[in-house]
Amino acid sequence: MSRLATLEIDGKKYKFPLVQGTENEIAIDIKTLRAVTGGVTTIDPGYKNTGSCESAITFLDGEKGILSYRGYAIEDLAEKADFLEVVFLLIFEELPNQEQLDKFHSDIKAQSLVDEDVRKIIDAFPKSAHPMGVLSSLTSALTAFNPSSVNVDSEDAMYNAIVRILGKFPVLVAWTLRKKQGLPLDYGDNSLGYIENILKMMFHKPNEEYVQNQVMIDALNKLLILHADHEQNCSTSTVRIVGSSHAGLFASISAGISALWGPLHGGANQAVLEMLEAIKEDGGDTKKYMAKAKDKEDPFRLMGFGHRVYKNFDPRAKIIKAAADEVLEDLGVEDPILDIAKGLEQEALNDEYFVSRKLYPNVDFYSGIIYRAMDIPTEMFTVMFALGRLPGWIAQWKEMRLRKEPIGRPRQLYIGETHREFKTIKNR
Ligand code: CMC
């Protein structure tokens, strides 16, 4: 027998079905709420209690610290999978066999050129421009150069749009870095693996051979997998809502990049590094910054701590912390900032303020330390997050389109002035 929730308003009772997910989560289905109650709506700022969709892509249990993509534990994927396999898994629901993976990779490679005119756009940006703004603009500009990717009315058209963005996005990522560093904007090498090619595109110098480093390849592979999807977070919800107007994949992803940029979301990785640097410059007094983070009069927050959903360790942070130790050792990098980060973590884990609010390190707390050891500039950290999150955004957009979800359009409770008589300007 189906279960029901009862809502009582002014003595009148309304029944709504309870729906259960495959991991036994329960939701109240209020699709008919306004119709049956004559216009009553719900208020939920920040959507803390609102499920915006049903999704079969990523599951996370914030209380237990569990994260899985399509049923596969993040720990297994981060340890054993290649990023491109995870991309395929997220978008096409199953892990690929070798033949499927080879075809997918070759379709992506066939799309890895960007129209030469895009260089003119990037040339017009000042070198000081933040790479996230540049990346968002260039991704949006791709729409103009690939108009057939906008109206995707068949699965073929959808597939073509997907491999196009997967082919061209890493080139744009590399170009934002190269522009900043004054290096020529050129292409990678299609004989390489997806990750190897990204590294070469980012780092190769025109006058010397680029030598691949297995530690860097493994580190980037792991970081991109850990960032690949995280269900209905701010940027993913943005991608779904923009896509719900049928604006097209590239425009939706461009909007997602803008959402990711903010320091409360993906921009936290840059903010963490800047915070750790500031603490170091200030003499390394972690206690002083802990006190600032707890002071309600002080806007300072401990960046890289806390999460809307995780009320336990972020499982990605655990993996990244272990990876940070390994990568720094393997690359022979000693970074005093790692010690400051570990010190802050220890203090927070034993501090009543953080313990009672269930504030633990999140994915961004240690990732920047690895990026820094890989010689990636701080302003590029959130771009690296976007590179990892791309397949998640694509998978969520595809799911939304295939499920024929309605245009996203929340309601509100109006609290402004009621009717006022208009006065012409000379009478005001
Ligand atoms: N430092 C100090 N206090 C904090 C922090 C922090 N980093 N995070 C939350 N709090 C406090 C907050 O002041 C509030 O206290 P009180 O109950 O006394 O008012 C309580 O903890 C609950 O915080 P909230 O802001 O209501 O929680 P939220 O779910 O709205 O925000 C968050 C989640 C991630 C935006 C927030 O924890 C934060 O700003 N963290 C720092 C930024 C950060 O690291 N962001 C990356 C998130 S993970 C990567 C991603 O997916 O984007």
Side-chain angles (χ1 to χ4, degrees), residues 82 94 270 340:
D82 282 341
E94 298 293 340
Q270 176 178 338
I340 294 179

Side-chain angles (χ1 to χ4, degrees), residues 5-155:
T6 307
L7 174 71
E8 188 172 326
I9 304 172
D10 297 335
K12 199 162 172 214
K13 289 186 177 166
Y14 304 92
K15 299 224 179 283
F16 298 96
L18 289 183
V19 283
Q20 188 164 340
T22 49
E23 292 278 2
N24 300 324
E25 296 167 296
I26 292 179
I28 307 170
D29 178 349
I30 56 156
K31 283 198 220 62
T32 60
L33 176 68
R34 287 178 53 80
V36 298
T37 57
V40 174
T41 198
T42 56
I43 286 283
D44 188 18
Y47 311 118
K48 291 191 178 191
N49 306 281
T50 299
S52 60
C53 60
E54 290 178 334
S55 179
I57 301 171
T58 288
F59 172 70
L60 78 89
D61 181 329
E63 305 299 325
K64 295 190 186 139
I66 292 174
L67 171 64
S68 61
Y69 301 157
R70 304 270 187 204
Y72 293 99
I74 192 66
E75 291 80 5
D76 281 343
L77 293 170
E79 191 59 39
K80 300 172 193 158
D82 282 341
F83 178 60
L84 209 53
E85 291 179 276
V86 175
V87 175
F88 190 98
L89 171 71
L90 286 167
I91 300 174
F92 303 110
E93 302 173 28
E94 298 293 340
L95 282 168
N97 61 30
Q98 193 62 53
E99 198 185 324
Q100 289 168 320
L101 188 64
D102 291 346
K103 166 158 190 331
F104 185 47
H105 193 190
S106 94
D107 291 344
I108 291 170
K109 286 191 283 196
Q111 295 297 338
S112 62
L113 291 181
V114 173
D115 194 295
E116 282 295 294
D117 281 345
V118 175
R119 281 175 205 261
K120 294 183 195 154
I121 302 177
I122 199 168
D123 269 347
F125 279 100
K127 244 191 202 152
S128 58
H130 194 285
M132 282 298 274
V134 178
L135 185 65
S136 168
S137 308
L138 295 180
T139 306
S140 185
L142 282 185
T143 307
F145 294 94
N146 301 272
S148 65
S149 296
V150 176
N151 295 318
V152 284
D153 43 19
S154 68
E155 291 220 19

Side-chain angles (χ1 to χ4, degrees), residues 264-265 296 301-302 304-305 308 353 357 359 362 364:
L264 298 189
H265 191 11
K296 293 289 169 198
R301 280 194 162 195
L302 195 56
F305 260 76
R308 169 60 60 78
Y353 175 97
R357 288 171 180 74
L359 301 170
N362 60 48
D364 291 321

Side-chain angles (χ1 to χ4, degrees), residues 48 230 233 260 262-269 272 293-294 296 300-309 311 314 316 353-354 357 359 362-365 385 389:
K48 291 191 178 191
H230 211 235
N233 55 80
L260 186 73
L264 298 189
H265 191 11
N269 57 12
V272 168
K294 294 189 281 182
K296 293 289 169 198
F300 177 80
R301 280 194 162 195
L302 195 56
M303 300 311 286
F305 260 76
H307 197 274
R308 169 60 60 78
V309 186
K311 300 301 166 201
D314 179 338
R316 303 167 300 174
Y353 175 97
F354 286 86
R357 288 171 180 74
L359 301 170
N362 60 48
V363 68
D364 291 321
F365 195 62
F385 191 151
R389 185 54 55 87

